């Protein structure tokens, strides 16, 4: 009787733990069918936006803004491109990021069109400013919500 109970108990416990482990280790897939985060990792939606201007305060169009995660692992340097956008006529850009507050997240600003649209400008790299993030949507469980981060950039002309 005791052996039968132990087998039954172990079978039920194994089934229960496997269902809980599977149910807790994945999140709902996004529109592309990929899993965004694993269990236990808080994440949020970030919208990084702003404008790019020259030193006179005039908007500069055609500037490539890129969101990249930059990190070092032992003796290797890694750069992971996440999103990019060229500024419009008003110098506006908007980038999206879904993940954790990644301190290695960089905004790379580059003039890719040369002399067009106001001259040649020097590239710039900024850290993403999570301290000034504005919460737009509440989250639940491991989802921390949606945030807007505004970062304006002033580019210097090449000499």
């Amino acid at each position: 009787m005791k052996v039968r109970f132990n087998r039954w108990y172990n079978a039920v416990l194994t089934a229960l733990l496997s269902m809980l482990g599977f149910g807790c280790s994945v999140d709902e897939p996004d529109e592309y069918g990929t899993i965004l985060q694993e269990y236990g990792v808080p994440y949020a939606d970030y919208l990084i936006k702003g404008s790019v201007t020259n030193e006179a305060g005039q908007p500069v169009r055609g500037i490539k803004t890129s969101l990249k995660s930059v990190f070092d692992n032992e003796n290797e340097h890694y750069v992971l491109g996440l999103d990019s956008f060229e500024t419009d006529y008003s110098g506006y850009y908007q980038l999206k990021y879904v993940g954790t507050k990644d301190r290695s997240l960089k905004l790379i600003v580059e003039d890719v069109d040369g002399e067009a649209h106001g001259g040649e400008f020097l590239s710039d790299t900024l850290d993403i400013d999570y301290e000034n993030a504005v919460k737009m949507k509440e989250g639940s469980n491991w989802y921390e919500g949606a945030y807007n981060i505004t970062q304006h950039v002033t580019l210097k002309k090449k000499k």
Side-chain angles (χ1 to χ4, degrees):
M1 179 73 173
K2 189 172 186 179
V3 172
R4 186 180 294 168
F5 175 77
N6 282 341
R7 282 188 186 162
W8 178 83
Y9 179 76
N10 285 340
V12 169
L13 189 57
T14 300
L16 183 62
L17 288 176
S18 65
M19 285 189 296
L20 287 175
F22 179 75
C24 295
S25 64
V26 295
D27 199 354
E28 293 296 319
D30 64 5
E31 66 265 22
Y32 305 108
T34 56
I35 304 301
L36 297 176
Q37 297 292 329
E38 291 184 28
Y39 174 75
V41 179
Y43 69 98
D45 295 317
Y46 295 96
L47 180 67
I48 296 101
K49 61 183 181 175
S51 62
V52 177
T53 58
N54 60 19
E55 293 174 296
Q58 299 167 328
V60 182
R61 76 173 217 200
I63 299 294
K64 181 181 177 185
T65 57
S66 304
L67 195 58
K68 297 186 179 186
S69 182
V70 180
F71 56 94
D72 295 310
N73 187 7
E74 295 178 17
N75 295 328
E76 297 185 78
H77 183 72
Y78 296 96
V79 177
L80 176 64
L82 302 172
D83 196 9
S84 65
F85 187 85
E86 280 197 19
T87 57
D88 62 10
Y89 285 96
S90 61
Y92 180 80
Y93 73 91
Q94 177 175 306
L95 303 164
K96 294 180 181 179
Y97 169 66
V98 177
T100 61
K101 286 184 180 179
D102 186 353
R103 294 296 174 196
S104 67
L105 208 58
K106 308 283 185 194
L107 175 65
I108 314 293
V109 184
E110 311 170 89
D111 185 358
V112 293
D113 62 7
E115 285 291 326
H117 305 116
E120 288 188 81
F121 295 91
L122 296 171
S123 296
D124 200 0
T125 302
L126 300 124
D127 291 324
I128 297 301
D129 184 14
Y130 290 102
E131 300 303 319
N132 293 320
V134 177
K135 192 169 208 170
M136 304 305 289
K137 177 181 168 186
E138 290 296 322
S140 63
N141 297 331
W142 292 105
Y143 176 64
E144 295 181 330
Y147 294 86
N148 283 352
I149 299 174
T150 302
Q151 288 195 230
H152 300 291
V153 181
T154 301
L155 292 180
K156 296 179 181 178
K157 278 198 169 190
K158 284 186 180 178
K159 294 185 182 187

